[in-house]
Amino acid sequence: MSKPLSGRVAVVAGATRGAGRGIARMLGAAGATVYCTGRSSRVEPNVSSHVNAGRPETIEETADMVTVDGGTGIPVRVDHTAEDQVAALFERVGREWSRLDVLAIVVTGQPASWKNFLEETPAEGKTFVEGWIWPHVMTAWHGAKLMAQHRAGLIVELVEQDNVGYHGAFYFDMMETLLKRLVLGLANDLGKS
């Protein structure tokens, strides 16, 4: 079986379950070494108020699946809302490999309340939007710095809907729209690096 990503290094931020787990496994099947990050670990479960707190899946399970699929899975517990943990992750990848070829960002924030604009205070809305956006920005920034050393790499940002249609609630819509603009901004800024 062909392993087109053999010798390549990937980070999947939010690899514990769902799409993140699927992306990590596919990268592994292609032969990549995949750092599987998330808050849910066998060693330290996710007990935060996060939407996925208490779920049974772990980053170690995902890393094991990556290895079974043909790659090398490395679990790293990272809370992507904590910049020191995000920085430490990419410092480790740089130390161990001196490169980063693929960064997939699939981290999630607090659950949406689905209240309409007048039912949610601006402070609640700000907390929700920032809780989603800044982990993506911090993860992309630290990953891009490592990629820029070799002037190569791919950043994949997972968002809902491929268009700009309304996402069902004001602050959720704002967050999803900002994530799409994040992708456009990264492509423009990093494409010139």
Side-chain angles (χ1 to χ4, degrees):
M1 178 183 267
S2 174
K3 299 286 185 189
L5 296 182
S6 182
R8 302 294 183 167
V9 180
V11 169
V12 179
T16 309
R17 64 188 59 80
R21 178 175 275 186
I23 292 167
R25 292 187 69 185
M26 293 304 293
L27 289 165
T33 295
V34 183
Y35 288 79
C36 304
T37 76
R39 291 186 255 209
S40 299
S41 168
R42 290 179 191 145
V43 178
E44 189 177 344
N46 180 7
V47 294
S48 70
S49 62
H50 184 268
V51 65
N52 290 318
R55 298 263 315 252
E57 304 95 333
T58 67
I59 53 173
E60 291 86 359
E61 289 171 353
T62 303
D64 290 345
M65 291 175 183
V66 167
T67 301
V68 166
D69 290 337
T72 302
I74 302 171
V76 184
R77 189 181 190 286
V78 177
D79 179 345
H80 285 267
T81 67
E83 188 167 7
D84 61 330
Q85 293 182 37
V86 175
L89 164 68
F90 290 104
E91 287 167 7
R92 176 179 172 181
V93 173
R95 222 178 22 256
E96 293 175 357
W97 290 93
S98 300
R99 66 182 302 138
L100 177 61
D101 301 292
V102 177
L103 170 59
I105 307 173
V106 196
V107 294
T108 58
Q110 298 297 324
S113 70
W114 300 108
K115 294 177 182 175
N116 77 29
F117 179 65
L118 294 176
E119 294 172 332
E120 192 118 45
T121 68
E124 291 169 325
K126 178 182 179 187
T127 298
F128 171 76
V129 172
E130 287 182 351
W132 275 82
I133 296 301
W134 289 116
H136 288 251
V137 171
M138 287 186 299
T139 302
W141 188 82
H142 286 281
K145 285 188 64 152
L146 186 53
M147 290 176 170
Q149 293 174 10
H150 295 281
R151 298 183 55 81
L154 172 67
I155 298 176
V156 177
E157 177 69 54
L158 217 61
V159 295
E160 293 185 11
Q161 297 183 5
D162 60 353
N163 57 26
V164 204
Y166 190 62
H167 292 84
F170 181 80
Y171 291 108
F172 188 79
D173 181 75
M174 182 184 293
M175 175 272 300
E176 282 288 337
T177 303
L178 286 170
L179 285 177
K180 291 172 186 171
R181 295 300 297 188
L182 172 84
V183 172
L184 179 64
L186 290 175
N188 277 280
D189 276 13
L190 298 176
K192 299 172 186 171
S193 304

